[in-house]
Amino acid sequence: VGGLRGGARGTSRIARAAAITCSALGEARIARARTAADQARALSATLAQLCAIHGVDVEVEGALPDWPCLMVANHLSYLDPLAILARAPALPLAKADVASWPIVGTAATALGVHFVDRDQPMARARTLRAALATLRGGVSVLNFPEGTTTDGTRVLRFQRGGFGVAMLARVPVVPIAVRFSEPALAWTDDRAFLPHYWQLSTRRMHARVHLQVCAALWPHADDAPEDLARRARHAITHALAERTPGRS
């Protein structure tokens, strides 16, 4: 009986999520003709609905920024951008392959998501220029500078690109430490997406995502982007270590 109920729960959630995403396409066509701020608000509203449908509870420690900045976070799953953007409107940087996902990729593209193809230097440069324009236009950008997801036992070295953009835009970097209520919620690139998503959709218990917002970082006079990246990573690893001793 439990399996039948879980299957029905999952099917219902996925159907409702598909309906919300398709509805977002209509909003996206409108928002795309407006400002980046409109796109960020439309994306935030859509993701907040998806969190509610899937039983994702977002707990925030500290104050998420309501002013232009580069938000950076450790990356555990596709849940991370949902949780952060549902609470703090911004336009994220996402891996290029997300753009090819059915429905989701189309909606994300229309809603202003910046896609990064790290294997193509020219394409990467265009994406960073678009992110710079977003920041200079007064809209925050969300970046996961590890460049991939992890199982949460460590934080990888941060890549420099987004930090250089923040310095050019003269906006602060706000580090956010992400942790899940259960290790099984993490999703790494070597695991198939659909089985993991099905497990999330069939859960009876809510999934809790905790966001710990660290102090904003401004670059020092002699900072290079790598220096700012190291400071942001240190802030996140320190915040995580406070709750999980031994993490590095």
Side-chain angles (χ1 to χ4, degrees):
V1 175
L4 291 175
R5 288 178 177 173
R9 186 184 304 116
T11 301
S12 174
R13 282 175 167 168
I14 292 172
R16 290 158 63 198
I20 290 296
T21 306
C22 288
S23 175
L25 284 172
E27 294 292 328
R29 293 189 182 98
I30 298 172
R32 195 172 188 179
R34 298 178 181 172
T35 66
D38 293 323
Q39 292 176 317
R41 284 190 291 268
L43 180 61
S44 179
T46 298
L47 297 184
Q49 292 180 75
L50 292 179
C51 282
I53 286 171
H54 290 91
V56 178
D57 294 334
V58 183
E59 302 171 349
V60 180
E61 180 180 347
L64 284 165
D66 58 1
W67 27 266
C69 66
L70 175 69
M71 294 185 288
V72 297
N74 57 307
H75 201 9
L76 305 178
S77 168
Y78 50 83
L79 291 177
D80 308 337
L82 269 68
I84 296 171
L85 295 173
R87 292 298 192 92
L91 295 182
L93 297 174
K95 292 194 298 184
D97 57 350
V98 175
S100 64
W101 291 9
I103 302 178
V104 173
T106 304
T109 300
L111 285 168
V113 174
H114 300 304
F115 293 105
V116 182
D117 188 344
R118 294 185 174 90
D119 296 328
Q120 299 292 332
M122 293 300 293
R124 185 169 66 247
R126 285 195 298 272
T127 300
L128 293 177
R129 285 196 296 271
L132 176 60
T134 297
L135 289 169
R136 285 177 170 170
V139 177
S140 292
V141 168
L142 172 63
N143 186 27
F144 295 96
E146 290 172 285
T148 188
T149 54
T150 74
D151 62 5
T153 58
R154 59 183 177 139
V155 179
L156 303 178
R157 183 180 65 86
F158 281 5
Q159 300 178 23
R160 67 185 296 278
F163 297 93
V165 169
M167 295 173 71
L168 287 173
R170 300 181 182 274
V171 300
V173 173
V174 176
I176 301 172
V178 181
R179 61 174 66 86
F180 292 161
S181 58
E182 303 167 44
L185 292 172
W187 175 72
T188 55
D189 288 345
D190 59 354
R191 298 178 61 187
F193 170 74
L194 287 177
H196 189 276
Y197 176 55
W198 177 251
Q199 290 175 358
L200 173 71
S201 300
T202 57
R203 287 171 57 94
R204 181 175 61 86
M205 300 292 290
H206 280 208
R208 294 195 305 277
V209 180
H210 183 88
L211 308 177
Q212 184 173 346
V213 185
C214 305
L217 303 176
W218 288 90
H220 299 144
D222 56 349
D223 266 352
E226 294 85 353
D227 301 317
L228 192 54
R230 281 192 292 269
R231 289 169 57 198
R233 181 181 181 276
H234 175 77
I236 289 173
T237 55
H238 180 72
L240 292 172
E242 288 182 336
R243 303 290 181 87
T244 311
R247 187 188 298 263
S248 61

